[in-house]
Amino acid sequence: IDPLLAGGSAVMIGRQDYTGNIYTHQGWLTQDMRYILQDDEIDEICGDGAGSARCEGQAPTGHNRTRTFIWDVSDLANPINTGYYDHPDVSV
């Protein structure tokens, strides 16, 4: 979690990893500002391990659907992954 401070500088407050992380760089806060909804732009391509060149060196994610991760950020220094939502349609 990197907020932009006055002058455009960013300071890392918290960081958390998860299995299958490939290309994650954005998220959206819920209206109550307690959760971030976050997508990985490439994880579904690497579902079976035979995706694009971007999957090279990555472990298969085991899914081929758009997956949205849900993070509790009520404590910004300690974000907690509370689960995910898989879209019902196959993607890519």
Side-chain angles (χ1 to χ4, degrees):
I1 299 172
D2 297 326
L4 289 178
L5 305 176
S9 59
V11 175
M12 183 182 302
I13 296 174
R15 179 184 178 110
Q16 189 59 264
D17 204 357
Y18 63 93
T19 302
N21 178 7
I22 297 174
Y23 186 64
T24 303
H25 61 91
Q26 61 192 15
W28 299 267
L29 281 168
T30 56
Q31 189 171 3
D32 63 3
M33 302 182 88
R34 179 172 178 171
Y35 298 96
I36 288 180
L37 306 177
Q38 169 254 309
D39 293 317
D40 188 311
E41 293 189 21
I42 301 179
D43 60 342
E44 59 266 73
I45 295 172
C46 302
D48 61 4
S52 74
R54 289 182 161 177
C55 301
E56 203 169 296
Q58 300 292 334
T61 60
H63 68 91
N64 59 352
R65 302 179 191 290
T66 298
R67 178 170 285 178
T68 300
F69 291 89
I70 304 159
W71 296 88
D72 181 336
V73 292
S74 53
D75 176 1
L76 291 175
N78 185 33
I80 299 169
N81 182 285
T82 62
Y84 58 85
Y85 170 78
D86 279 340
H87 191 278
D89 297 329
V90 173
S91 61
V92 182

